[in-house]
């Protein structure tokens, strides 16, 4: 078994492209190996800022001999078809072909034998194809070459069992020949050196101050950061995204610590952290109370004779310049009240078809107040928070650091003397931004956060800019998931379709003010929506939410078919009630009574469906007790009546566990009916009456969920 070692050495690869590039190299190379008939036992890929490396173990010395069969035209086909077949099979005549019967016709078959090929002869072309097929998000050409790579490609190391492969990579003007040498750390060990295999390659790189494995580099950086923080009596702020990025910036990580100038510590810590993180890739350290400490950590790609003192001093000097900008914006922004920034929103376009940001704010105000009223929150506070929610977009700080929108709005609102719940809602109205982000729980914050997302969803739904396949340019799936988290985690009782209708009407009013909703006259909402055809869009949007809800619940182990069964009832847009119904249904079906009733339901439904097909019409109306001939019919009819009464009470009280328990009482009479009663009797009246009774068996569970949607 052979080992292939490949290294593509270049100028610095952007950190954000490295992980994908490593995956692509492995995929492209192994796909080509497999397609060539070469098996292997293992393939690993590594990436540093300047190199992509692939090692494949257990390669065959040569590809196996192959025998291929190619089916040709029918015997007796025109000569043109025969000649085309022979050309495709690489044969000169039909002498090497066989005749075989396929069905009732006889066809020509060509038997083509391919001799195996030495792996060493196959690999050069395969490597060249892999490099050529690489697709970087951004690439460049250099010199006179036509070849494009993310950065200038400097060397290609290609060894099979320690021997250099023949050939190279065509740069479109020159050829970069395969070799057996590479470079160490750019500054600490820049000399070129030769390697013989992967173990030798990894060991010599380590000696040359290059940690090849990104997982090892990441683990070392994290461990060193935590140790430095602990030595200072601090903790490291969790930031996996920054850790990943920094891992892609260094080949020999050295963690150092510096200090923030005390004069900047009155600037909001989010601004300080963002400034350090975004521009300098520094890690924030925290005090015991969770506040930002004056010290920060950085990861250098160098060892120095002064223990990093010069590097730290340089970084502190750069940081002072960065934080001076942040402090300047902080001081300047506070001179203008948030409310005075509102007119500037009229100059900021939200979307060409959905108006300006000022128009979005107008919609948010009405929608927030409406939702707050429905949830029993302070509608006036929600309206005020919605009014100011986007005002910080025109502040200098948010202009410099867009990721601080909302966060700075809260600080400026508090500075302006706005109440705490309004200021907090301004910050929280974008949340939750993802599954790991905090979900607002304060009533005013929840109302405005819901309004923000629902306005966005309704807006893009109204102009038919919906997500398709993997495309979701306006992050509408994330918005819907945010709405679901806000409702479910806060257990909010909210009729979503009603809110969708209002949101859609508000969007319409952006361009047609006379068509806008009268929020105080809720009974007119649906009337206006129907007149504009928006009720159908609202139902369509509800379907979109149902799909997102299935995704969320699937991750929690909830069966999607149960959600379908409840949604199939129609008219359910209260997510809390829907989930309670799904929960109760899941529990019921896991029990013996539920499982047996499901079997009984399916048996009854099948019999009714078969007999309906025979009769050409479904049984209608209630069964007539006067026609019952057996005790089991009377017992089932009586129990159906009792269950119906209990179901009414339980469903009215939204006690779905009790509703399921009442359904469980059907199990005995249903089983007895199927054991003792024959439905298809000679007596037509008796048969029709029993079919009506079977229909009633299906009707009872259908009040809780559509059992026909349940799988298993």
């Amino acid at each position: 078994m052979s080992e292939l070692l490949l290294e593509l050495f270049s100028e610095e690869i952007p950190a954000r492209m490295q992980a994908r590039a490593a995956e692509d190299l492995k995929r492209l190379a192994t796909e080509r190996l497999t397609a060539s008939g070469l098996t292997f036992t293992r393939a690993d890929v590594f990436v540093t800022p300047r190199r992509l490396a692939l090692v494949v173990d257990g390669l065959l010395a040569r590809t196996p001999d192959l025998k291929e069969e190619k089916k040709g035209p029918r015997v007796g086909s025109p000569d043109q078809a025969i000649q085309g077949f022979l050309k495709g099979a690489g044969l000169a005549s039909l002498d090497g072909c066989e005749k075989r019967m396929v069905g009732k016709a006889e066809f020509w078959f060509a038997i083509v034998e391919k001799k195996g090929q030495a792996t060493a002869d196959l690999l050069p072309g395969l490597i060249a194809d892999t490099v050529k097929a690489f697709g970087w998000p951004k690439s460049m050409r250099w010199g006179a070459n036509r070849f494009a790579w993310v950065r200038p490609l400097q060397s290609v190391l290609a060894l099979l069992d320690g021997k250099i492969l023949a050939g190279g990579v065509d740069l479109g003007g020159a050829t970069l020949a395969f070799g057996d040498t590479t470079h160490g750390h750019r500054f600490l060990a820049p000399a070129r050196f030769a390697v013989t295999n992967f173990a030798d390659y990894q060991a010599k790189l380590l000696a040359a101050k290059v940690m090849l494995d990104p997982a090892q580099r990441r683990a070392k950086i994290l461990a060193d950061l935590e140790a430095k923080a602990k030595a200072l009596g601090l903790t490291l702020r969790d930031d996996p995204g920054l850790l990943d990025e920094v891992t892609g910036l260094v080949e020999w990580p050295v963690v150092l610590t510096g200090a923030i100038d005390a004069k900047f510590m009155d600037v909001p810590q989010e601004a300080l952290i963002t400034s350090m993180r975004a521009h300098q890739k520094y890690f924030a350290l925290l005090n015991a109370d969770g506040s930002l400490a004056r010290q920060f950590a950085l990861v250098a790609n160098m060892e120095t004779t002064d223990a990093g003192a010069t590097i730290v001093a340089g970084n502190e000097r750069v940081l002072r310049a960065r934080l001076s900008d942040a402090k300047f914006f902080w001081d300047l922004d506070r001179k203008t009240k948030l409310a005075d920034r509102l007119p500037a929103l009229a100059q900021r376009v939200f979307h060409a078809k959905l108006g300006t940001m000022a128009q979005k704010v107008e919609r948010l105000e009405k929608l927030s107040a409406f939702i707050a009223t429905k949830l029993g929150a302070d509608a006036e506070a929600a309206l005020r928070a919605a009014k100011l929610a986007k005002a910080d977009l025109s502040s200098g700080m948010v202009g410099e650091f867009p990721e601080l929108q909302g966060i700075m709005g809260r600080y400026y609102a508090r500075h302006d003397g706005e109440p705490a719940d309004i200021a907090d809602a301004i910050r929280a109205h974008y949340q939750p931004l993802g599954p790991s982000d905090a979900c607002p729980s304060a009533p005013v914050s929840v109302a405005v956060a819901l309004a923000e997302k629902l306005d966005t969803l309704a807006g893009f739904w109204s102009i038919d800019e919906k997500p398709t396949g993997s495309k979701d340019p306006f992050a509408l799936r994330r918005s819907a998931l945010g709405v679901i988290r806000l409702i479910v985690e806060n257990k909010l009782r909210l009729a979503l379709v009603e809110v969708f209708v209002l949101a859609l009407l508000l969007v319409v009013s952006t361009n047609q003010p006379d068509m806008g909703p009268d929020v105080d006259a809720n009974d007119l909402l649906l009337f206006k929506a129907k007149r504009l055809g928006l009720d159908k869009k609202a139902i369509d949007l509800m379907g979109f939410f149902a799909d997102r809800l299935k995704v969320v619940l699937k991750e929690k182990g909830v069966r999607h078919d149960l959600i379908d069964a409840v949604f199939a009832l129609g008219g359910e847009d209260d997510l809390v009630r829907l989930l309670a119904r799904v929960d109760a249904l899941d529990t019921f079906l896991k029990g013996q009574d539920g499982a047996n009733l499901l079997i009984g339901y399916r048996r009854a439904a099948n019999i009714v469906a078969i007999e309906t097909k025979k009769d050409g019409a479904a049984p209608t109306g209630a069964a007539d007790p006067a026609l019952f001939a057996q005790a089991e019919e009377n017992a089932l009819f009586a129990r159906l009546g009792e269950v119906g009464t209990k179901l009414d009470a339980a469903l009215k009280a939204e006690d779905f566990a009790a509703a399921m328990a009442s359904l469980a009482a059907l199990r005995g009479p249903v089983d007895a009916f199927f054991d003792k009663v024959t439905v298809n009797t000679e007596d037509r009246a008796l048969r029709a009456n029993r079919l009506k009774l079977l229909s009633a068996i299906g009707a009872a569970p259908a009040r809780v969920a559509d059992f026909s949607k349940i799988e298993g």
Side-chain angles (χ1 to χ4, degrees):
M1 294 294 180
S2 302
E3 178 196 82
L4 167 67
L5 175 61
L6 173 68
E7 184 203 62
L8 303 169
F9 186 86
S10 68
E11 293 295 330
E12 268 75 2
I13 305 168
R16 67 181 185 282
M17 299 183 189
Q18 291 175 15
R20 174 66 183 274
E23 290 174 9
D24 285 350
L25 175 59
K26 183 176 179 179
R27 177 179 55 80
L28 292 169
T30 54
E31 281 177 357
R32 281 159 176 74
L33 287 172
T34 304
S36 301
L38 279 173
T39 60
F40 52 90
T41 55
R42 182 171 178 173
D44 292 312
V45 68
F46 304 92
V47 60
T48 78
R50 294 203 297 164
R51 66 197 83 219
L52 278 165
L54 171 73
V55 57
V56 182
D57 268 338
L59 274 172
L60 293 172
R62 60 184 297 114
T63 58
D65 295 342
L66 296 176
K67 181 182 284 187
E68 289 183 0
E69 289 188 359
K70 290 189 176 181
K71 183 184 173 187
R74 186 178 291 191
V75 174
S77 294
D79 185 60
Q80 190 176 5
I82 296 292
Q83 292 305 320
F85 163 60
L86 291 173
K87 185 178 180 182
L91 298 175
S93 70
L94 289 171
D95 294 342
C97 299
E98 295 178 2
K99 296 177 183 178
R100 292 184 195 168
M101 293 298 294
V102 178
K104 296 181 179 178
E106 194 174 30
F107 288 81
W108 287 108
F109 279 82
I111 313 300
V112 181
E113 292 187 1
K114 286 187 177 179
K115 289 291 183 185
Q117 189 176 3
T119 303
D121 296 335
L122 188 65
L123 284 177
L126 187 149
I127 292 171
D129 284 347
T130 298
V131 173
K132 188 178 178 182
F134 228 89
W136 293 97
K138 288 185 178 178
S139 58
M140 61 182 290
R141 293 185 175 85
W142 62 97
N145 303 316
R146 294 188 301 277
F147 178 77
W149 197 249
V150 61
R151 295 288 185 275
L153 190 59
Q154 295 182 343
S155 65
V156 180
L157 183 156
L159 295 177
L160 181 66
D161 289 336
K163 295 179 181 175
I164 302 172
L165 289 168
V169 174
D170 182 4
L171 299 182
T175 298
L176 199 58
F178 296 148
D180 64 349
T181 61
T182 185
H183 299 266
H185 189 281
R186 179 187 288 275
F187 303 112
L188 299 175
R192 180 182 287 269
F193 55 87
V195 301
T196 55
N197 55 41
F198 177 67
D200 185 45
Y201 171 73
Q202 194 171 27
K204 286 181 176 174
L205 279 181
L206 192 62
K209 307 294 184 184
V210 174
M211 291 184 69
L212 180 64
D213 189 340
Q216 288 182 1
R217 286 203 307 278
R218 190 182 193 279
K220 176 175 172 46
I221 292 170
L222 180 59
D224 289 354
L225 284 168
E226 290 176 337
K228 287 282 187 182
K230 187 176 180 181
L232 295 169
L234 305 171
T235 57
L236 176 69
R237 180 178 177 271
D238 186 35
D239 196 338
L242 180 59
L243 185 59
D244 289 341
E245 186 175 2
V246 170
T247 300
L249 295 174
V250 295
E251 290 192 319
W252 192 251
V254 178
V255 174
L256 304 168
T257 58
I260 303 170
D261 194 319
K263 69 181 181 183
F264 299 117
M265 294 307 290
D266 66 333
V267 177
Q269 66 177 28
E270 292 92 339
L272 298 180
I273 292 171
T274 301
S275 184
M276 289 195 299
R277 183 185 190 284
H279 296 299
Q280 303 305 121
K281 314 304 177 192
Y282 296 163
F283 291 84
L285 303 179
L286 305 177
N287 296 309
D289 62 0
S291 61
L292 180 68
R294 271 196 62 201
Q295 289 78 12
F296 65 88
L298 63 101
V299 181
N301 192 32
M302 279 290 290
E303 285 177 345
T304 60
T305 55
D306 62 355
T310 304
I311 294 175
V312 170
N315 279 275
E316 287 178 339
R317 186 167 57 252
V318 174
L319 182 61
R320 276 195 293 276
R322 291 287 185 190
L323 296 187
S324 293
D325 293 343
K327 183 171 175 54
F328 169 77
F329 290 130
W330 169 241
D331 292 338
L332 182 66
D333 288 344
R334 285 179 294 164
K335 293 177 181 177
T336 304
K337 288 191 170 185
L338 271 183
D340 294 336
R341 294 185 182 278
L342 293 175
L345 295 179
Q347 308 303 316
R348 190 179 293 270
V349 176
F350 170 60
H351 185 277
K353 295 180 180 177
L354 298 174
T356 66
M357 197 57 78
Q359 289 171 312
K360 181 177 176 68
V361 167
E362 288 179 15
R363 298 195 297 268
L364 281 185
E365 288 180 69
K366 293 175 182 175
L367 200 54
S368 298
F370 180 82
I371 294 172
T373 303
K374 292 290 181 184
L375 301 181
D378 185 340
E380 286 299 320
L383 189 148
R384 179 68 176 170
K387 189 181 192 68
L388 300 175
K390 306 292 184 186
D392 66 352
L393 291 177
S394 59
S395 66
M397 187 74 87
V398 173
E400 182 71 8
F401 302 110
E403 58 268 49
L404 291 179
Q405 55 189 290
I407 294 171
M408 296 313 301
R410 175 182 177 276
Y411 279 108
Y412 298 143
R414 293 295 288 161
H415 179 265
D416 294 347
E418 297 289 345
D421 58 343
I422 291 176
D424 290 344
I426 292 171
R427 173 176 181 148
H429 83 282
Y430 291 110
Q431 292 180 305
L433 291 171
S436 59
D437 192 25
C439 183
S441 58
V444 175
S445 297
V446 169
V448 183
L450 281 171
E452 152 66 23
K453 293 161 187 61
L454 290 171
D455 173 74
T456 299
L457 284 161
F460 288 106
W461 235 253
S462 71
I463 58 174
D464 287 327
E465 292 280 358
K466 305 173 191 175
T468 54
S470 60
K471 294 180 181 176
D472 186 12
F474 304 108
L476 300 183
R477 292 190 181 99
R478 189 178 71 181
S479 292
L481 291 173
V483 171
I484 290 171
R485 279 194 64 192
L486 284 161
I487 290 176
V488 173
E489 293 186 20
N490 291 296
K491 295 183 169 50
L492 304 178
R493 304 304 305 270
L494 192 64
L496 275 176
V497 171
E498 181 185 27
V499 186
F500 293 163
V501 165
L502 175 60
L504 287 162
L505 281 166
L506 287 168
V507 171
V508 170
S509 72
T510 297
N511 297 320
Q512 304 174 63
D514 57 322
M515 300 303 289
D518 179 357
V519 180
D520 294 329
N522 292 340
D523 55 333
L524 294 178
L525 289 180
L526 192 57
F527 172 76
K528 286 188 176 182
K530 285 183 176 177
R531 193 171 53 146
L532 296 170
L534 298 179
D535 55 326
K536 293 177 184 174
K537 287 185 182 291
I539 298 299
D540 186 44
L541 188 51
M542 191 65 223
F544 179 68
F545 268 79
D547 289 340
R548 303 279 74 70
L549 188 64
K550 279 190 276 191
V551 172
V552 172
L553 295 183
K554 185 179 179 183
E555 293 171 356
K556 296 181 179 179
V558 180
R559 291 165 49 181
H560 67 89
D561 57 324
L562 301 188
I563 302 170
D564 284 337
V566 175
F567 261 117
L569 292 176
E572 182 58 276
D573 63 348
D574 181 332
L575 297 186
V576 172
R577 187 170 58 207
L578 181 144
L579 291 179
R581 202 183 281 254
V582 170
D583 252 2
L585 182 60
D586 189 31
T587 304
F588 176 61
L589 292 175
K590 285 176 180 172
Q592 196 66 27
D593 287 340
N596 284 339
L597 182 64
L598 181 60
I599 294 171
Y601 162 84
R602 286 175 175 160
R603 190 172 175 185
N606 285 338
I607 293 172
V608 171
I610 292 170
E611 298 309 315
T612 295
K613 192 174 181 181
K614 287 180 186 173
D615 298 344
T620 56
D624 183 357
L627 295 177
F628 291 156
Q630 292 180 229
E632 287 77 10
E633 293 174 88
N634 278 308
L636 178 58
F637 183 77
R639 187 59 57 86
L640 282 168
E642 294 167 11
V643 168
T645 305
K646 290 180 180 176
L647 264 179
D648 284 339
L651 293 175
K652 188 176 180 182
E654 298 186 1
D655 186 347
F656 300 111
M660 299 301 170
S662 65
L663 284 179
L666 284 175
R667 177 190 167 184
V670 168
D671 289 349
F673 180 87
F674 283 123
D675 286 345
K676 303 291 184 181
V677 179
T678 301
V679 176
N680 281 317
T681 66
E682 295 296 328
D683 185 330
R684 295 183 63 82
L686 193 59
R687 173 178 170 278
N689 203 48
R690 287 174 177 172
L691 286 174
K692 290 177 182 176
L693 199 53
L694 287 181
S695 296
I697 294 175
R703 297 171 64 186
V704 180
D706 184 346
F707 273 44
S708 68
K709 301 285 185 185
I710 297 173
E711 299 172 358

